[in-house]
Amino acid sequence: MKDKLQSYLYDYNEDEILYKKYYEYLKKGKTYRDLIHDMGGDYNYYIKHITPDIDGGFLPTIISDADFFKGEDSNNIAITKHNRYTPPFNHKHQLFEMIYVLSGSCIQHINHTDITLKSGQFCLVAPNSTHSISVFDDSLILNILIRQSTFEDIFYNLLRRTNAISAFFNNSLYTNNKNAYLLIDTANDTEIKNHVIAMLQEYLEKKKYYEDVLDGSILMLFSKLLQLYEQNMSLSETVTNNSESFSPILSYISEHYDNLTLSELAEHFHFSQAYCSRLIKKNTGRSFTELLRNIRFKMATFFLSNTNKPIAEISEDIGYANVEHFNRLFKKSYHITPSEYRRKNQSKSKN
């Protein structure tokens, strides 16, 4: 597999060869249509590639989970090489995307900001952030894609803590002041690089239980990044200016969601209840009660999907002593009962 991995990374695939020719045509003042004409190929084949200067050509602005995860796949992580010389195109998606520069450099354009990433750097892009990547040389860029729908399953414990990564994820999941990106500089750490390459190999080989290996590997990656490089992490300016002070509050709610009250929260941060309530509303668009319920139900869906705990026990664990009350609230939010949710999502995990 080592030779195949080397070939996957370093050899130019068909798309990269095509995009490099297009790049050279652009430098000569020609267009993609000129390239199609000169190559004498099937027009319908060529316009299925990224075609920014052809009306009606392929230029996706919204990319769905289905573009990376087939419906029957149970993996939560996908890892791909970003095709070199791909024409940059602004797009957004529901996934969390982590760009890693294996070698060389690239330009990441996120919400009107250009960021140059160099070897050993990560850029974690939040869902619904408009972005594009420019790579016009032999640099190697990897895209690590994480489903948002199963995010809690992987990062359950990490999200309960106060650190730069949990702040990024929690703000993306719960607040109005969405993070655009989080930058992490590993100073070209060889151990981190080898870990990412091992994840890529696992994804490409798709051996039995590879999904579980990837789930564990991505959690290990984030844990090592926090352990070694927490001081080398920087949030996008919007988040730094607007919601940095709210991140500890959100982490505290996420950690104590089972029995927290607004008065206890306000007292912990030395706020009045009224001010604390306004702060939550400003940052999340929700009341304290609504936010707390949202977090509790995310915990409930995690337990329903990943454990065999009785529903009455789950109800009590997340802060609802009355299981009938929990069932009613859950059905109102998800339009199915907790039992139905468990059957549906545990059967998915077994496929």
Side-chain angles (χ1 to χ4, degrees):
M1 180 61 193
K2 185 176 181 181
D3 291 340
K4 290 184 179 180
L5 181 63
Q6 292 288 323
S7 176
Y8 175 81
L9 287 172
Y10 292 98
D11 294 349
Y12 274 69
N13 59 43
E14 288 185 7
D15 288 348
E16 289 178 308
I17 292 171
L18 175 63
Y19 289 140
K20 187 173 183 180
K21 287 182 179 179
Y22 175 47
Y23 177 75
E24 293 167 349
Y25 265 58
L26 286 177
K27 291 198 297 185
K28 296 175 184 177
K30 296 185 177 182
T31 67
Y32 193 76
R33 194 176 293 275
D34 295 326
L35 173 63
I36 296 174
H37 178 269
D38 292 349
M39 294 186 73
D42 180 4
Y43 180 82
N44 290 327
Y45 167 77
Y46 289 113
I47 63 170
K48 290 179 181 177
H49 293 75
I50 304 299
T51 51
D53 59 6
I54 293 182
D55 291 339
F58 181 60
L59 196 64
T61 56
I62 298 177
I63 299 178
S64 68
D65 285 20
D67 293 309
F68 298 104
F69 301 97
K70 294 180 180 179
E72 67 274 13
D73 287 350
S74 60
N75 56 301
N76 302 311
I77 313 294
I79 308 175
T80 63
K81 177 182 73 172
H82 181 83
N83 284 333
R84 291 162 288 192
Y85 291 93
T86 300
F89 62 103
N90 287 327
H91 63 282
K92 60 175 63 176
H93 40 62
Q94 290 297 313
L95 301 154
F96 282 99
E97 181 174 3
M98 195 173 194
I99 294 92
Y100 176 62
V101 183
L102 191 63
S103 65
S105 64
C106 70
I107 296 176
Q108 178 76 245
H109 181 79
I110 309 176
N111 293 349
H112 312 294
T113 300
D114 285 335
I115 306 162
T116 299
L117 300 176
K118 298 181 180 179
S119 182
Q121 291 185 315
F122 291 89
C123 182
L124 187 52
V125 182
N128 294 314
S129 294
T130 301
H131 67 287
S132 65
I133 306 176
S134 299
V135 187
F136 296 112
D137 55 24
D138 291 334
S139 297
L140 294 176
I141 314 299
L142 297 181
N143 297 326
I144 304 172
L145 306 153
I146 310 168
R147 292 184 196 255
Q148 186 181 168
S149 59
T150 55
F151 198 77
E152 289 278 353
D153 296 2
I154 304 173
F155 298 105
Y156 173 74
N157 288 319
L158 181 64
L159 295 176
R160 312 279 77 79
R161 299 171 183 171
T162 302
N163 55 61
I165 290 178
S166 67
F168 174 83
F169 287 137
N170 280 324
N171 278 320
S172 295
L173 292 169
Y174 298 118
T175 74
N176 295 326
N177 297 316
K178 303 298 184 185
N179 291 277
Y181 58 86
L182 173 69
L183 298 179
I184 309 170
D185 189 353
T186 70
N188 216 11
D189 187 313
T190 302
E191 181 183 354
I192 296 293
K193 180 182 292 188
N194 289 339
H195 186 88
V196 174
I197 291 174
M199 289 177 60
L200 172 63
Q201 184 166 339
E202 192 72 44
Y203 178 75
L204 294 176
E205 288 182 334
K206 289 181 168 59
K207 292 180 179 179
K208 190 176 182 180
Y209 303 120
Y210 84 96
E211 305 97 330
D212 300 307
V213 173
L214 285 177
D215 287 355
S217 296
I218 193 70
L219 183 57
M220 175 66 76
L221 175 61
F222 280 121
S223 298
K224 293 299 289 186
L225 289 173
L226 281 169
Q227 185 181 64
L228 300 173
Y229 299 105
E230 188 169 11
Q231 301 307 313
N232 293 13
M233 299 181 182
S234 55
L235 290 166
S236 57
E237 184 177 349
T238 300
V239 173
T240 301
N241 289 340
N242 292 340
S243 62
E244 186 178 50
S245 61
F246 186 68
S247 294
I249 298 173
L250 189 55
S251 295
Y252 190 84
I253 297 173
S254 298
E255 184 178 358
H256 301 279
Y257 64 88
D258 56 333
N259 58 8
L260 187 65
T261 65
L262 178 60
S263 62
E264 290 169 343
L265 179 66
E267 182 179 355
H268 179 80
F269 287 97
H270 308 291
F271 296 145
S272 69
Q273 289 189 47
Y275 177 78
C276 194
S277 182
R278 288 197 300 272
L279 195 62
I280 292 170
K281 187 72 172 181
K282 175 183 177 183
N283 282 277
T284 71
R286 301 181 178 99
S287 67
F288 169 77
T289 301
E290 291 168 337
L291 176 61
L292 188 64
R293 182 182 301 168
N294 190 319
I295 293 173
R296 283 177 170 178
F297 282 178
K298 283 186 178 293
M299 296 303 101
T301 58
F302 171 81
F303 290 132
L304 290 168
S305 300
N306 296 279
T307 75
N308 292 317
K309 283 185 175 185
I311 290 174
E313 185 178 340
I314 292 175
S315 174
E316 187 172 354
D317 285 348
I318 67 169
Y320 294 104
N322 186 316
V323 67
E324 288 79 12
H325 180 57
F326 164 67
N327 286 335
R328 286 194 299 272
L329 292 176
F330 189 95
K331 187 172 183 179
K332 184 176 180 180
S333 293
Y334 292 90
H335 307 294
I336 56 175
T337 66
S339 296
E340 291 168 337
Y341 185 95
R342 166 169 275 170
R343 285 194 296 271
K344 180 179 178 181
N345 287 276
Q346 285 195 342
S347 63
K348 278 183 181 179
S349 66
K350 295 175 182 177
N351 292 335

